[in-house]
Amino acid sequence: MHLGLIGLGKMGANMRARLREHGIDVTGYDRNPAVSDVADLAALKAALPAPRAVWVMVPAGEITDSVVTELADLLDEGDLVIDGGNSRFTEDFAHAEVLAARGIRFIDAGVSGGVWGEEYGYGLMVGGADDDIAELMPVFDALRPEGPREEGFVHVGPVGAGHYAKMVHNGIEYALMQAYAEGYELLAKRTDLISDVPATFKAWQRGTVVRSWLLELLVDALEKDPQMDDIEGYVEDSGEGRWTVEEAIANAVPVPTISASIFARFVSRQDDSPAMRAVAALRNEFGGHSVKKAPAGE
């Protein structure tokens, strides 16, 4: 199997490395020539055997739109494009239509795993035609975590389903991080009673009903910076949480916990808080998302 990969940032570069480690040939293209295997998209096409499979791993929105448009003009009938970024599921319908007009197939893939995916594997939620998914299974199996396939990979449904599932996944992620963060702030307020906040979270890692990978990452963050003094409680949102709430409204599904976590991020941009420092630290731990450093003296 030989895959083309467009976008060699934090996740794309790690995915290229994991795929190669698992026996998949990968030719990567990035605008940064220092990390790119080829000079441009035309060279990428030339390097791939037909029918070609090209995985797009670039920021959602205008950048993904432009790459898909360029691939529609460049690739040949029968080739396959996979959008592995965080595109909104409604954009998948437009991308699939543009490509289908040229006889090019399309898969949308929700990918979770952040900067740790190279080592531990990526959770994959994909949408597309059965035959197209089957053709790409060697790639999906190389990317997913070790163990039963159904515990790290799912063919959710037709085009759009993969990114829809990833959207809901990220909405849940927002709420989980917010719950841990609020618990952190409450514990940190009672230093007269709680003598070791990081140790408290660490003790929850085995046996308790709140144990999780996010909890492990919060422990890691607290061990590096127990008071979160180096981080400002300013938290961005990358879109999926908002889209989850919008979908919930459109379908009359109550999501008060996810909604509250989104609004808490908006509040963080107005008023620094220990809880939002914890959320910022968590996003940095699992995804390498940038954080704002706290001003000197805080």
mmCIF file of all heavy atoms in Angstrom, residues 2 65 90 110 113 116 153 171 176 193 241 270 292:
data_model
loop_
_atom_site.group_PDB
_atom_site.id
_atom_site.type_symbol
_atom_site.label_atom_id
_atom_site.label_comp_id
_atom_site.label_asym_id
_atom_site.label_seq_id
_atom_site.Cartn_x
_atom_site.Cartn_y
_atom_site.Cartn_z
ATOM 1 N N HIS A 2 0.555 2.203 -0.870
ATOM 2 C CA HIS A 2 1.326 3.436 -0.971
ATOM 3 C C HIS A 2 0.346 4.599 -0.837
ATOM 4 O O HIS A 2 -0.583 4.738 -1.640
ATOM 5 C CB HIS A 2 2.070 3.496 -2.298
ATOM 6 C CG HIS A 2 3.108 4.570 -2.366
ATOM 7 N ND1 HIS A 2 4.166 4.540 -3.254
ATOM 8 C CD2 HIS A 2 3.278 5.719 -1.664
ATOM 9 C CE1 HIS A 2 4.918 5.615 -3.099
ATOM 10 N NE2 HIS A 2 4.392 6.355 -2.143
ATOM 11 N N ASP A 65 -10.631 23.265 1.909
ATOM 12 C CA ASP A 65 -11.368 23.540 0.667
ATOM 13 C C ASP A 65 -10.414 23.721 -0.508
ATOM 14 O O ASP A 65 -10.633 23.170 -1.598
ATOM 15 C CB ASP A 65 -12.217 24.805 0.815
ATOM 16 C CG ASP A 65 -13.387 24.632 1.774
ATOM 17 O OD1 ASP A 65 -13.743 23.479 2.075
ATOM 18 O OD2 ASP A 65 -13.923 25.653 2.232
ATOM 19 N N THR A 90 -20.863 18.786 7.258
ATOM 20 C CA THR A 90 -21.585 19.341 6.113
ATOM 21 C C THR A 90 -20.636 19.691 4.965
ATOM 22 O O THR A 90 -21.037 19.674 3.794
ATOM 23 C CB THR A 90 -22.370 20.588 6.532
ATOM 24 O OG1 THR A 90 -21.498 21.489 7.241
ATOM 25 C CG2 THR A 90 -23.527 20.224 7.451
ATOM 26 N N GLY A 110 -12.669 10.938 10.903
ATOM 27 C CA GLY A 110 -12.411 11.596 12.180
ATOM 28 C C GLY A 110 -11.262 10.895 12.859
ATOM 29 O O GLY A 110 -11.257 9.660 12.972
ATOM 30 N N GLY A 113 -6.318 11.262 18.826
ATOM 31 C CA GLY A 113 -5.073 10.687 19.338
ATOM 32 C C GLY A 113 -4.021 11.730 19.608
ATOM 33 O O GLY A 113 -3.074 11.502 20.353
ATOM 34 N N TRP A 116 0.085 12.041 20.768
ATOM 35 C CA TRP A 116 0.471 10.724 21.285
ATOM 36 C C TRP A 116 0.150 9.600 20.306
ATOM 37 O O TRP A 116 0.466 8.433 20.551
ATOM 38 C CB TRP A 116 -0.255 10.452 22.606
ATOM 39 C CG TRP A 116 0.098 11.422 23.687
ATOM 40 C CD1 TRP A 116 -0.514 12.626 23.937
ATOM 41 C CD2 TRP A 116 1.151 11.308 24.643
ATOM 42 N NE1 TRP A 116 0.088 13.255 25.001
ATOM 43 C CE2 TRP A 116 1.113 12.476 25.457
ATOM 44 C CE3 TRP A 116 2.116 10.344 24.899
ATOM 45 C CZ2 TRP A 116 2.003 12.683 26.493
ATOM 46 C CZ3 TRP A 116 3.005 10.546 25.943
ATOM 47 C CH2 TRP A 116 2.949 11.706 26.721
ATOM 48 N N PHE A 153 -11.452 1.488 15.730
ATOM 49 C CA PHE A 153 -11.858 1.857 14.372
ATOM 50 C C PHE A 153 -13.342 1.578 14.200
ATOM 51 O O PHE A 153 -13.852 0.552 14.662
ATOM 52 C CB PHE A 153 -11.077 1.056 13.331
ATOM 53 C CG PHE A 153 -11.642 1.161 11.933
ATOM 54 C CD1 PHE A 153 -11.240 2.194 11.099
ATOM 55 C CD2 PHE A 153 -12.586 0.245 11.481
ATOM 56 C CE1 PHE A 153 -11.781 2.305 9.818
ATOM 57 C CE2 PHE A 153 -13.115 0.351 10.199
ATOM 58 C CZ PHE A 153 -12.706 1.387 9.367
ATOM 59 N N GLY A 171 -17.239 17.084 21.390
ATOM 60 C CA GLY A 171 -18.150 17.719 22.324
ATOM 61 C C GLY A 171 -18.087 17.057 23.690
ATOM 62 O O GLY A 171 -18.040 17.727 24.731
ATOM 63 N N LEU A 176 -15.833 16.561 29.477
ATOM 64 C CA LEU A 176 -14.983 15.807 30.405
ATOM 65 C C LEU A 176 -13.850 16.674 30.939
ATOM 66 O O LEU A 176 -13.565 16.673 32.146
ATOM 67 C CB LEU A 176 -14.420 14.569 29.700
ATOM 68 C CG LEU A 176 -15.399 13.448 29.371
ATOM 69 C CD1 LEU A 176 -14.708 12.386 28.531
ATOM 70 C CD2 LEU A 176 -15.944 12.826 30.655
ATOM 71 N N LEU A 193 -7.100 22.198 53.744
ATOM 72 C CA LEU A 193 -7.584 20.848 53.999
ATOM 73 C C LEU A 193 -6.923 19.818 53.088
ATOM 74 O O LEU A 193 -6.564 18.729 53.523
ATOM 75 C CB LEU A 193 -9.103 20.816 53.802
ATOM 76 C CG LEU A 193 -9.832 19.540 54.184
ATOM 77 C CD1 LEU A 193 -9.695 19.264 55.687
ATOM 78 C CD2 LEU A 193 -11.314 19.648 53.807
ATOM 79 N N GLY A 241 -16.984 21.573 19.270
ATOM 80 C CA GLY A 241 -17.920 21.734 20.377
ATOM 81 C C GLY A 241 -19.105 22.606 19.999
ATOM 82 O O GLY A 241 -20.256 22.289 20.307
ATOM 83 N N GLN A 270 -12.253 36.118 29.056
ATOM 84 C CA GLN A 270 -12.534 37.379 29.734
ATOM 85 C C GLN A 270 -11.944 37.429 31.136
ATOM 86 O O GLN A 270 -11.604 38.480 31.635
ATOM 87 C CB GLN A 270 -14.061 37.579 29.817
ATOM 88 C CG GLN A 270 -14.741 37.592 28.463
ATOM 89 C CD GLN A 270 -16.256 37.538 28.584
ATOM 90 O OE1 GLN A 270 -16.801 37.474 29.684
ATOM 91 N NE2 GLN A 270 -16.945 37.557 27.463
ATOM 92 N N LYS A 292 -1.330 30.093 26.400
ATOM 93 C CA LYS A 292 -0.819 31.426 26.691
ATOM 94 C C LYS A 292 -0.066 31.360 28.015
ATOM 95 O O LYS A 292 -0.596 30.872 29.013
ATOM 96 C CB LYS A 292 -1.964 32.438 26.789
ATOM 97 C CG LYS A 292 -2.557 32.808 25.437
ATOM 98 C CD LYS A 292 -3.415 34.060 25.556
ATOM 99 C CE LYS A 292 -3.836 34.565 24.187
ATOM 100 N NZ LYS A 292 -4.553 35.857 24.274
#
